[in-house]
């Protein structure tokens, strides 16, 4: 793998909207891809991991998930906006106390993503879905 990869749920309209924002506004060094359209085995991920939370995969490191993955992604933002806005946001989000506090928020958003802007009923997670469980 030459380039880090950020994996999201392509079946969710809210998640896809967020991925488009990431690609168009943040322009990270990472490849942003729906887990349904990538080789999870090659990334060292399972469907359960990819379905439970966004994932950030880079060579030589264990994948990160949820807000930690978002922090890793933000730290790859190029340009002036990256240096002034996205990278510092990623550094703060990546701090253990901050990411620990961000997990409950992340799980709440995951459970309610069908209610978020751009979300649809198809985004709703069924009971027992991995994203409903704690990390």
């Amino acid at each position: 793998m030459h380039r880090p990869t950020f994996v999201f749920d392509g079946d969710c309209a809210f998640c896809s909207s967020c991925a488009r924002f990431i690609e168009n506004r943040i322009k990270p060094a990472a490849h942003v891809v729906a887990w349904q359209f990538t080789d999870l085995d090659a990334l060292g991920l399972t469907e359960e991991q990819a379905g439970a939370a966004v994932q950030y995969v880079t060579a030589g490191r264990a994948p990160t998930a949820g807000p930690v993955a978002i922090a890793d992604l933000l730290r790859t933002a190029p340009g002036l906006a990256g240096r002034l806005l996205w990278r510092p946001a990623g550094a703060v989000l990546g701090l253990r106390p901050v990411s620990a506090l961000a997990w409950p928020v992340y799980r709440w958003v995951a459970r309610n993503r069908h209610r978020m802007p751009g979300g649809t009923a198809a985004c709703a997670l069924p009971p027992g879905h991995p994203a409903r469980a704690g990390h």
Side-chain angles (χ1 to χ4, degrees), residues 12-13 27 29 34 46-48 73 75 78 83 101 109 116 127 130:
C12 172
K27 302 180 189 302
T46 65
E47 282 189 30
E48 183 177 354
L73 173 87
R75 288 191 290 249
R83 286 191 305 277
L101 292 171
V109 169
M116 300 293 166

Side-chain angles (χ1 to χ4, degrees), residues 28-83:
H31 176 59
V32 178
V33 63
W35 72 262
Q36 294 88 347
F37 301 109
T38 192
D39 183 353
L40 292 177
D41 286 337
L43 294 174
L45 296 172
T46 65
E47 282 189 30
E48 183 177 354
Q49 288 171 305
V54 295
Q55 303 286 322
Y56 185 84
V57 182
T58 190
R61 280 186 45 205
T64 56
V68 179
I70 294 167
D72 288 342
L73 173 87
L74 291 173
R75 288 191 290 249
T76 71
L80 185 60
R83 286 191 305 277

Side-chain angles (χ1 to χ4, degrees), residues 101-115:
L101 292 171
W103 266 111
V105 174
Y106 182 89
R107 284 192 292 275
W108 182 87
V109 169
R111 284 191 307 270
N112 294 284
R113 61 194 188 171
H114 60 288
R115 295 183 176 110

Side-chain angles (χ1 to χ4, degrees), residues 2 56 87 90-91 94 117:
H2 301 294
Y56 185 84
R87 289 184 203 171

